[in-house]
Amino acid sequence: MIRKIPTGVFLLDGRKIIGKKDGRNLDLPLARKKTMSHGIFSSHNRNKDDDCLSLRCDAVAAHDMTYIGVLQTATACGISRFDIPFIMTDCHNSLCAMAGTFNEDDHIFSLSAARKFGGIKIPSHMAIVHQYMREAVAGCGKFILGADSHTRYGALGSLAIGEGAGEIVKQLLGGTYDISYPETVLVFLEGEVKPGVGPHDVVLSIIGEVFKDGFVKNRVLEFCGPGLHSLSMDFRNGIDTMTTEASSLSSIWQTDEKTESYLKIHGRRGDYKEIRPGNIAYYDRAVIVDLSEIEPVIAMPFHPSNVYRIDEFNENPSDILAFVENECNSQLEDSGVRLDLQSKLVGGRLKVDQGVIAGCAGGLFSNLSAAADILEKGNLDSCDFSLHVYPASQPIMKEIISDGIAGRLVSSGADLRSAFCGPCFGAGDIPGQMGFSIRHTTRNYANREGSRPAKGQIASVALMDTRSICATAINGGFLTSATRLKEVKYRRRRYFFDSSIYEMRGLNLFRKGDMNEKLIMGPNIRPIPSFEGLGKHLLLKVASFLPDPVTTTDELIPGGESTSYRSNLQKLADYALSTRDPGYVPLAKSIRKAGEEMSERGQSDELPELADVFAMFSEIMGNVAWKDISFGSVLVSRKPGDGSAREYAATCQRVLGGIADISMEYATKRYRSNLINWGILPFVSENWSEFLPGSYVFVPDVKSGLETGETEFRAFLFRDGKITEQWLSLEAVLPKEREILASGCLINFYKKQLEE
């Protein structure tokens, strides 16, 4: 079904794969340049060195949980206009229900910024950010950055990457996105999917094979092969947006007449061109997918890679639920609650409470069309199971109404809602205590669906394709594979796109900004605190120690009620690690206060031992002055940053006085980039587990090491009355990133540039 090739391969004429050894007579350096991604990278690279890319974007995008960070950072840097198209959508905090007027105040602020600096604004309930980008912006050969982890438009021939707000700001200020040239992975599609199998079945099956061993981590996926041409564009888009969950950097697909037709339907025929690998293209790895062998699957809590075939699951639900329950409860160990998945068994079968079809993965026209076809076979027959459907944009909503799809959905007992990302991150359709929800959305992490384990609340989400969700819906909520349904007639409905919907309510002022316009800021919109540049030496106190296999950005800064404070970083920081380590915030604040006391009078009431610790390290280095010290907290973890692109996972650490992370490795490049842009040193250590809570860490001459390009830094760890020498690594930190770290943060770096 899915086969991985861990060594290099050549792709010949887009059809034949041969191993690196068999192609030893081929020109490998030339073949490396014949991938689809190489062509896009090269055309956007402002650096002559192909190994170190400095990329300028065609457009950038953000939504109302991330564009506030972009706008506040950009204005703090002194921006006067947006140099490239900046799309801002109100698709996350659309409900405005958590803290009075705050969320709508953010929407008004972004609207005023669009008028002042020349932005593109799409108001609430109009479109999921990624669907708008598909419909109105993405095109063949483009390079796009988005302040959301699921920024993926590869099926439309665009290389797109999800990053934090700092990288978006760089683009708006005329800067570049700087990365080392990434490896590429060929995803070769063969065969055709069978009726009842959908895009989520395909991509979850792939994620299940490649995530756990990091097979595609931080690499670019290139989709081609004969099986590609059998897939509709919605099907491709649905797979593409989920490649984030495989931990890949980006993705790109071979384009064809279906790509051209999609762009033509959306009034952008001129954005089409053929994108395909060269006659001889080289890839560092390969994944071979036989689409004909893909079966409907379910990704059990708490990760999209926790995949089982539905039929396999139904053969042995008790044992599988017991295993999953045990794995989940190990993640919930510190919360005081326990998941009871086996209680969902009724008569030996899994009984589900809720189904949701939503977002950039689920709310696509072809998914809703398939849902209507299946729901013609039956209805939801009780209030024990609910089905909620969110089209990804108002143009899709209009089309399902015109085509009669909406009528079938509603008459079956499903409820139809507007474009909103809430179900993907826990701001809508939260199940009840111990509830079990199946969703065609993007993630199913712990408390992602909105429950709060730290408060004794727990529910769980499994990911499934729309087709099997609807099969389950008409089967009384009992888990059912869509391929088990007989005589379903899947219609091939034609899609019509109405651009006037955006023209009437959207605002496109690119290159039409007016600096005389006033930025409108509500009472919750507070300036970003100022941060000092990095000192000569670094002194750290461990504020939190997270030994979990992976720490997600949802744990570093939870969603839910905190989302109303995205424009008030001091308030938002109070939520940092609140579901994982409630003691982190008070300890970090205590460390920050102690540093202030030391600066004022050379001693600390907050941390009385600090003066002695400093004197001890000063003696080692020879009378170090406190004024040469950067003192703050450090977060120690095994593998942080999996999940969303939310930069606030790093920002809140900085606001609380954090200056460094020490980890075994970082789960994603984007989290590491966010740390750097906020002036937090992303150290790596094989001995990370020795940096226990309460320890002090001294890193001498850190600033000069940054400036001279050092990658290894000597450090001294003080714990339990003993000092040990350690080594901390800064892996693959680019020259510009070193300047940002030395400056203290991205804002300081750009302020200095503008002043000069």
Side-chain angles (χ1 to χ4, degrees):
M1 182 171 70
I2 296 175
R3 181 165 59 95
K4 296 185 291 187
I5 303 176
T7 53
V9 300
F10 290 92
L11 177 65
L12 308 181
D13 298 322
R15 296 192 300 269
K16 183 179 179 181
I17 298 173
I18 64 171
K20 182 178 180 180
K21 184 177 179 181
D22 294 331
R24 56 184 174 273
N25 295 325
L26 298 175
D27 187 340
L28 191 149
L30 179 62
R32 282 187 181 276
K33 297 181 179 181
K34 297 300 182 180
T35 61
M36 295 181 284
S37 56
H38 185 275
I40 297 177
F41 282 140
S42 296
S43 65
H44 292 80
N45 190 16
R46 299 298 182 264
N47 189 343
K48 294 181 180 179
D49 182 4
D50 251 5
D51 293 330
C52 187
L53 301 173
S54 294
L55 304 169
R56 281 292 290 161
C57 289
D58 296 293
V60 291
H63 51 69
D64 48 348
M65 278 176 66
T66 58
Y67 66 51
I68 288 293
V70 175
L71 295 174
Q72 288 184 302
T73 304
T75 53
C77 290
I79 196 168
S80 59
R81 67 172 185 174
F82 297 151
D83 277 347
I84 58 175
F86 179 26
I87 295 89
M88 297 175 281
T89 66
D90 296 342
C91 58
H92 275 60
N93 284 348
S94 304
L95 295 183
C96 304
M98 302 301 273
T101 68
F102 288 173
N103 291 353
E104 188 60 23
D105 288 345
D106 289 349
H107 298 165
I108 294 169
F109 174 45
S110 68
L111 180 60
S112 68
R115 288 175 169 145
K116 186 177 185 70
F117 302 123
I120 300 169
K121 177 63 188 278
I122 304 300
S124 301
H125 305 287
M126 295 293 291
I128 305 300
V129 60
H130 304 309
Q131 185 59 22
Y132 178 81
M133 295 298 287
R134 293 166 185 155
E135 293 172 348
V137 181
C140 301
K142 293 185 179 182
F143 178 62
I144 297 171
L145 284 181
D148 184 89
S149 54
H150 293 100
T151 303
R152 292 284 191 272
Y153 316 122
L156 293 168
S158 293
L159 265 176
I161 299 176
E163 276 287 358
E167 296 302 327
I168 308 301
V169 172
K170 289 179 186 177
Q171 295 290 320
L172 295 176
L173 291 169
T176 57
Y177 180 63
D178 302 312
I179 57 171
S180 300
Y181 196 93
E183 290 189 347
T184 54
V185 179
L186 172 66
V187 183
F188 193 77
L189 304 178
E190 302 174 320
E192 296 186 21
V193 295
K194 63 189 70 173
V197 172
H200 239 32
D201 296 317
V202 174
V203 74
L204 290 174
S205 297
I206 294 172
I207 293 167
E209 291 293 330
V210 304
F211 175 79
K212 291 175 184 176
D213 63 358
F215 192 78
V216 303
K217 181 181 176 181
N218 291 332
R219 298 176 172 93
V220 177
L221 306 183
E222 299 212 359
F223 287 80
C224 57
L228 177 148
H229 305 291
S230 68
L231 303 178
S232 71
M233 287 306 300
D234 268 3
F235 206 112
R236 300 178 200 181
N237 284 328
I239 293 174
D240 191 57
T241 198
M242 285 292 291
T243 58
T244 295
E245 303 309 320
S247 75
S248 64
L249 176 70
S250 188
S251 57
I252 187 74
W253 293 57
Q254 182 174 339
T255 63
D256 57 14
E257 67 281 354
K258 290 184 179 179
T259 321
E260 182 177 17
S261 175
Y262 183 95
L263 290 168
K264 182 179 179 181
I265 288 169
H266 290 84
R268 298 191 294 117
R269 168 64 181 80
D271 279 341
Y272 176 76
K273 67 178 180 180
E274 185 181 44
I275 304 285
R276 63 183 301 276
N279 292 337
I280 303 174
Y282 179 79
Y283 294 89
D284 299 284
R285 299 182 173 195
V287 179
I288 315 299
V289 182
D290 186 344
L291 296 171
S292 66
E293 294 186 6
I294 300 291
E295 297 286 341
V297 296
I298 180 170
M300 296 294 288
F302 285 128
H303 200 274
S305 64
N306 196 12
V307 176
Y308 297 87
R309 288 188 295 108
I310 292 176
D311 285 344
E312 169 196 10
F313 180 93
N314 283 335
E315 289 173 1
N316 191 20
S318 181
D319 287 347
I320 292 175
L321 285 177
F323 176 79
V324 173
E325 183 181 294
N326 183 61
E327 291 290 305
C328 291
N329 285 332
S330 68
Q331 295 185 43
L332 297 169
E333 188 172 356
D334 297 332
S335 68
V337 297
R338 290 294 177 266
L339 200 61
D340 183 8
L341 293 177
Q342 294 180 80
S343 67
K344 311 312 294 183
L345 289 173
V346 177
R349 300 179 64 190
L350 176 61
K351 181 93 163 42
V352 179
D353 302 298
Q354 180 197 71
V356 178
I357 302 166
C360 56
L364 309 184
F365 178 78
S366 64
N367 288 335
L368 306 187
S369 174
D373 294 336
I374 291 172
L375 292 172
E376 285 188 354
K377 300 284 293 181
N379 299 321
L380 283 67
D381 57 7
S382 76
C383 61
D384 292 332
F385 179 91
S386 59
L387 179 59
H388 314 294
V389 180
Y390 296 76
S393 70
Q394 282 292 82
I396 293 176
M397 174 73 87
K398 179 182 178 182
E399 191 59 18
I400 66 170
I401 292 172
S402 300
D403 203 289
I405 294 170
R408 179 58 241 164
L409 295 175
V410 173
S411 63
S412 73
D415 57 79
L416 194 60
R417 305 182 179 186
S418 58
F420 175 47
C421 293
C424 283
F425 67 92
D429 295 320
I430 301 168
Q433 185 74 352
M434 291 297 169
F436 192 92
S437 178
I438 51 176
R439 303 188 175 192
H440 194 153
T441 55
T442 54
R443 290 198 171 120
N444 62 334
Y445 300 162
N447 65 53
R448 182 78 178 185
E449 80 303 314
S451 64
R452 293 288 174 263
K455 296 181 178 180
Q457 304 170 359
I458 187 64
S460 54
V461 162
L463 301 182
M464 284 171 51
D465 189 81
T466 292
R467 292 145 189 82
S468 291
I469 290 174
C470 291
T472 301
I474 64 174
N475 198 20
F478 288 99
L479 185 67
T480 304
S481 163
T483 56
R484 290 288 177 177
L485 300 179
K486 304 302 181 185
E487 299 179 354
V488 175
K489 182 180 180 181
Y490 292 102
R491 296 172 174 82
R492 292 195 173 187
R493 296 174 169 91
R494 190 177 176 187
Y495 180 74
F496 296 91
F497 174 74
D498 185 353
S499 62
S500 69
I501 294 173
Y502 295 137
E503 292 166 2
M504 283 186 292
R505 293 213 55 222
L507 184 70
N508 187 342
L509 291 176
F510 178 54
R511 295 198 176 118
K512 299 175 184 177
D514 182 354
M515 283 300 294
N516 293 318
E517 288 281 347
K518 182 181 178 181
L519 291 176
I520 303 173
M521 301 186 186
N524 187 56
I525 300 175
R526 302 291 185 179
I528 293 175
S530 59
F531 303 110
E532 293 184 352
L534 187 64
K536 183 178 180 180
H537 310 294
L538 196 62
L539 180 58
L540 306 165
K541 183 177 176 65
V542 177
S544 185
F545 180 83
L546 305 173
D548 306 342
V550 176
T551 302
T552 69
T553 49
D554 283 313
E555 293 171 300
L556 291 167
I557 180 64
E561 59 188 297
S562 69
T563 59
S564 294
Y565 300 103
R566 301 289 165 163
S567 49
N568 185 340
L569 297 181
Q570 297 283 11
K571 179 69 174 176
L572 180 65
D574 287 340
Y575 292 88
L577 280 172
S578 57
T579 62
R580 182 61 187 83
D581 182 2
Y584 168 69
V585 170
L587 179 54
K589 288 183 176 180
S590 177
I591 295 169
R592 184 179 64 187
K593 183 178 179 182
E596 295 168 351
E597 292 173 341
M598 284 289 291
S599 296
E600 291 172 359
R601 47 194 176 88
Q603 63 183 33
S604 169
D605 297 329
E606 191 73 20
L607 296 175
E609 79 278 9
L610 179 56
D612 292 335
V613 170
F614 167 65
M616 177 178 54
F617 286 129
S618 176
E619 184 176 343
I620 291 174
M621 295 304 298
N623 297 319
V624 173
W626 183 263
K627 65 181 178 62
D628 293 329
I629 292 282
S630 281
F631 174 68
S633 57
V634 58
L635 175 67
V636 179
S637 56
R638 183 190 297 268
K639 187 178 178 181
D642 191 24
S644 68
R646 61 181 68 169
E647 61 155 347
Y648 303 102
T651 313
C652 289
Q653 293 178 51
R654 190 69 166 112
V655 169
L656 291 166
I659 316 176
D661 270 25
I662 298 175
S663 302
M664 184 177 73
E665 64 175 310
Y666 293 93
T668 60
K669 177 201 171 297
R670 56 183 173 270
Y671 174 66
R672 188 171 167 277
S673 295
N674 291 339
L675 291 174
I676 291 170
N677 286 331
W678 284 100
I680 298 176
L681 291 122
F683 286 124
V684 173
S685 172
E686 293 181 356
N687 300 328
W688 67 275
S689 59
E690 296 184 21
F691 296 82
L692 294 174
S695 303
Y696 284 90
V697 185
F698 181 65
V699 188
D701 301 314
V702 65
K703 188 169 185 178
S704 62
L706 269 178
E707 293 170 345
T708 57
E710 296 294 327
T711 58
E712 299 292 326
F713 292 79
R714 185 173 62 149
F716 298 94
L717 171 64
F718 177 66
R719 175 165 61 89
D720 298 333
K722 297 179 181 179
I723 295 178
T724 58
E725 188 174 82
Q726 302 284 344
W727 287 92
L728 301 174
S729 299
L730 278 181
E731 299 176 346
V733 180
L734 300 173
K736 190 178 293 183
E737 293 177 325
R738 290 175 177 272
E739 291 184 55
I740 292 169
L741 287 168
S743 299
C745 65
L746 180 71
I747 295 172
N748 295 354
F749 173 78
Y750 272 109
K751 271 186 175 180
K752 182 179 178 181
Q753 282 200 338
L754 289 172
E755 289 170 1
E756 293 174 350

